[in-house]
Amino acid sequence: MRDYDEITAFLGERGPYHWFIFFLLSLSIFPNGFGGLTILFVGDVPEHRCLIPGNLNLSEAWLNRTIPLVQERDKLQYSKCSRYRLDVIMNLSATFPDSDSFNMSEVEQEPCLDGWEYSKEQYISTIVSEWDLVCDNDWKTPLSMSIYFVGVLVGSFFSGMLSDRFGRKKVLFGTMAIQTGFNMLQVFSPNWEIFCLFNFLIGIGNISNYVAAFVLGSELVGKSIRIAFSTMGIGIFYALGYMFLPLVAYFIRSWKMLLFTLSLFGLLYIPLWWFIPESPRWLLSKGRIQEAEAIIRLIAKKNGVTPPTVIFTELELEDLKGKNVKSFGITDLIKTRNTRAITVINLPVWMILAIGYYGLILNTPNLHGDDYLNCFLFGASEIPAYVATWIFLQKLPRKFTLSGTLLFGGGVLFFIQLVPSNLPILTTVLTLFGKFGITIAFAIAYSYTAELYPTVIRNTGVGMSSMASRLGSIISPYFSFLGVYHEFLPFILMGGLTVFSAILVLFLPETINIPLPDTISQMQKIKGFKGTFSNCCYFQKNGTSRENNTIVIKEEEF
């Protein structure tokens, strides 16, 4: 019995229409590159200090002494969260006209009872200056991003089910509308709580849109270009969106105008509805035979090939509509000793990957140099990272490539603390290299995990791993938040965890040049370092090529 790929082999794999769909679906990912990362500029903390009411009868000299000086990061600067008691200052100003003649260390301090004044040097406004998310409320800024990632977690859970039920195309454009609509509404948030609610909903739309585009593309493009689609296509357009964010933010310094301007780009994708078809595979699974056949004939026409008079025989139609098979669930990931060991290793590795990837992105404002240039360079680093991933997936062993890139990325981050304080640019460069390594590792992890699990639990295995990464992304804002208190602490923690995950990966079996397992009994066994290494070398030497069998399942990275 022929499967779908055999039945539609007459379409070819690299026809003009395949590349057309490749480009359009990759283009639809462009807004995802900046959708979740706007908090870098929208939620950045401007320079600030306590507001001193303008109705005080104080000389300029005494006004300058109302804010205490504190030591922060090896330099003396005005306190951001306290001031000297104004009633005492008023009495002192009357007694000591010369402010320098009095030792201010004896004056009691108080919090910023009248609010704060914010520097306009870099931003006209951010959500921090809008709702005073500083001092006792500084925890709200990283929580804003964590809530977005909670939305991503929820979207990851439901996007696959929605796509299977309502169709890839409807979910793709429906979630794109959700993402665009709530981005626009977020501009009108009356308070921080409503802003976070919209952030949650945007997170749901962002990841659901990404997953739908990936699945639809995987089912429409030819088998031989699926790896390129998930790396060179989706990955690079995501990176281009990431690079686009600082370019727009540089010219628009108001958080409301920035969000509104970026949300308008979603409207440009409305015409794609008439150019991107539904997945014929999904239509066949729902018994919509005529619609599926019409799309297949359209693809044949666009590719310049003549379809057969009868595409599906009656017997094949019955087979394509599905068979009664045993169902598998989450518990099957831990039922056997081997699946349990692989799952127990996979979950923390994926969580650490997300902590490192998003933690570095969100730590961008804490780095030396221009925030906009640093953000652009971080986005640009993803392009060679995805190109490298595409090259690595063709021939190199999965386990040692993944472990090596994790070791490289984590090692670079861990040793940033040794950089002399007079070389801050070197810290930024090393951070860039660290993110480059972690980005490659994140992209490889999708392919490697899909190859570790058999067909019967592959989606479940990749799905649970992805859920673990979402948990990592939820706590990642607080890793970057630690940089406010200690410059190198985020790098020490993220670097140490990433090196630890590189060691964990070495316990996993190799999968290159080994046929994809269909059943749990066919899975590779965990044998330890020596057994795994010899197994890897044997298959590299004697195995057959697996390029066309490689599965890459890539969701949002941002």
Side-chain angles (χ1 to χ4, degrees), residues 207-445:
I207 188 60
S208 301
N209 161 248
Y210 196 109
V211 172
F214 171 79
V215 173
L216 182 56
S218 298
E219 294 178 349
L220 283 174
V221 302
K223 180 171 60 176
S224 62
I225 59 175
R226 284 174 191 159
I227 297 176
F229 172 70
S230 62
T231 53
M232 306 285 282
I234 283 182
I236 287 181
F237 273 86
Y238 174 87
L240 291 174
Y242 186 169
M243 295 163 61
F244 183 71
L245 170 62
L247 295 179
V248 178
Y250 180 81
F251 294 101
I252 303 177
R253 304 299 179 98
S254 166
W255 75 270
K256 290 185 177 182
M257 283 303 300
L258 176 60
L259 285 182
F260 185 76
T261 302
L262 292 173
S263 67
L264 293 177
F265 283 89
L267 302 179
L268 300 178
Y269 291 89
I270 294 176
L272 296 186
W273 174 268
W274 289 276
F275 294 96
I276 297 176
E278 181 55 90
S279 165
R281 289 177 184 264
W282 179 80
L283 290 169
L284 288 169
S285 71
K286 296 298 181 182
R288 296 158 63 174
I289 311 301
Q290 292 181 337
E291 293 175 67
E293 188 167 331
I295 293 174
I296 292 171
R297 292 188 182 277
L298 172 66
I299 297 174
K301 180 181 177 181
K302 298 291 185 181
N303 281 346
V305 299
T306 303
T309 305
V310 177
I311 296 179
F312 304 107
T313 65
E314 291 295 327
L315 191 59
E316 286 170 340
L317 288 174
E318 292 180 9
D319 186 62
L320 286 169
K321 289 178 184 177
K323 301 175 182 179
N324 292 323
V325 295
K326 178 185 174 182
S327 60
F328 291 82
I330 294 176
T331 56
D332 290 286
L333 296 176
I334 55 174
K335 266 189 177 179
T336 69
R337 181 178 180 182
N338 199 50
T339 56
R340 185 163 56 248
I342 289 175
T343 301
V344 166
I345 293 173
N346 252 338
L347 296 186
V349 167
W350 277 69
M351 183 179 292
I352 292 169
L353 273 169
I355 290 173
Y357 181 79
Y358 291 108
L360 288 178
I361 290 175
L362 298 175
N363 194 53
T364 304
N366 295 328
L367 296 175
H368 172 78
D370 184 79
D371 291 345
Y372 303 96
L373 179 59
N374 288 342
C375 183
F376 179 85
L377 292 175
F378 269 49
S381 71
E382 301 214 354
I383 294 180
Y386 287 121
V387 173
T389 301
W390 177 72
I391 295 172
F392 292 160
L393 286 174
Q394 304 303 309
K395 297 292 183 182
L396 296 182
R398 310 299 192 238
K399 177 173 71 173
F400 295 107
T401 305
L402 177 57
S403 180
T405 52
L406 284 169
L407 186 62
F408 170 75
V412 168
L413 296 179
F414 188 77
F415 289 107
I416 284 178
Q417 60 184 305
L418 303 179
V419 176
S421 58
N422 62 339
L423 295 175
I425 296 178
L426 181 58
T427 298
T428 302
V429 172
L430 291 177
T431 304
L432 197 60
F433 277 107
K435 182 179 176 296
F436 173 77
I438 291 175
T439 300
I440 296 175
F442 216 153
I444 292 174

Side-chain angles (χ1 to χ4, degrees), residues 54-74:
N55 58 355
L56 296 180
N57 187 22
L58 290 174
S59 66
E60 184 176 348
W62 272 107
L63 281 173
N64 290 333
R65 299 201 70 187
T66 54
I67 307 296
L69 291 170
V70 295
Q71 192 81 19
E72 286 188 18
R73 292 195 178 184
D74 300 325

Side-chain angles (χ1 to χ4, degrees), residues 45-91:
V45 183
E47 288 296 322
H48 58 279
R49 65 180 190 175
C50 291
L51 176 66
I52 306 300
N55 58 355
L56 296 180
N57 187 22
L58 290 174
S59 66
E60 184 176 348
W62 272 107
L63 281 173
N64 290 333
R65 299 201 70 187
T66 54
I67 307 296
L69 291 170
V70 295
Q71 192 81 19
E72 286 188 18
R73 292 195 178 184
D74 300 325
K75 63 179 180 179
L76 205 61
Q77 55 186 341
Y78 285 111
S79 172
K80 298 176 180 179
C81 299
S82 63
R83 67 188 185 187
Y84 292 118
R85 282 184 53 180
L86 294 186
D87 57 339
V88 176
I89 294 292
M90 291 293 292
N91 293 331

Side-chain angles (χ1 to χ4, degrees), residues 116-135:
W116 290 260
E117 57 177 323
Y118 298 90
S119 169
K120 303 289 185 180
E121 183 179 351
Q122 182 170 353
Y123 302 106
I124 296 174
S125 67
T126 69
I127 62 170
V128 174
S129 61
E130 182 86 9
W131 297 306
D132 290 333
L133 307 183
V134 292
C135 300

Side-chain angles (χ1 to χ4, degrees), residues 73-237:
R73 292 195 178 184
D74 300 325
K75 63 179 180 179
L76 205 61
Q77 55 186 341
Y78 285 111
S79 172
K80 298 176 180 179
C81 299
S82 63
R83 67 188 185 187
Y84 292 118
R85 282 184 53 180
L86 294 186
D87 57 339
V88 176
I89 294 292
M90 291 293 292
N91 293 331
L92 289 173
S93 66
T95 308
F96 301 94
D98 181 7
S99 63
D100 292 331
S101 62
F102 187 82
N103 185 1
M104 299 297 291
S105 62
E106 300 175 10
V107 181
E108 185 181 350
Q109 297 181 17
E110 63 183 5
C112 302
L113 301 178
D114 297 295
W116 290 260
E117 57 177 323
Y118 298 90
S119 169
K120 303 289 185 180
E121 183 179 351
Q122 182 170 353
Y123 302 106
I124 296 174
S125 67
T126 69
I127 62 170
V128 174
S129 61
E130 182 86 9
W131 297 306
D132 290 333
L133 307 183
V134 292
C135 300
D136 290 342
N137 287 322
D138 58 359
W139 56 272
K140 290 185 177 180
T141 303
L143 183 59
S144 304
M145 196 60 184
S146 291
I147 290 173
Y148 166 83
F149 284 123
V150 171
V152 172
L153 176 65
V154 173
S156 300
F157 184 78
F158 288 105
S159 58
M161 292 185 288
L162 291 173
S163 184
D164 288 339
R165 180 171 182 179
F166 299 106
R168 288 47 167 137
K169 181 178 177 178
K170 287 182 179 178
V171 172
L172 172 65
F173 285 92
T175 53
M176 198 179 293
I178 289 174
Q179 190 176 340
T180 302
F182 284 116
N183 263 318
M184 289 183 172
L185 289 175
Q186 196 173 35
V187 173
F188 305 100
S189 301
N191 51 51
W192 174 76
E193 289 77 11
I194 299 299
F195 177 90
C196 288
L197 173 62
F198 287 138
N199 232 20
F200 171 78
L201 297 171
I202 290 168
I204 293 177
N206 191 292
I207 188 60
S208 301
N209 161 248
Y210 196 109
V211 172
F214 171 79
V215 173
L216 182 56
S218 298
E219 294 178 349
L220 283 174
V221 302
K223 180 171 60 176
S224 62
I225 59 175
R226 284 174 191 159
I227 297 176
F229 172 70
S230 62
T231 53
M232 306 285 282
I234 283 182
I236 287 181
F237 273 86

Side-chain angles (χ1 to χ4, degrees), residues 445-465:
Y446 280 92
S447 174
Y448 187 32
T449 302
E451 293 171 358
L452 284 171
Y453 288 106
T455 302
V456 292
I457 57 172
R458 182 169 294 122
N459 281 345
T460 304
V462 175
M464 285 300 296
S465 300

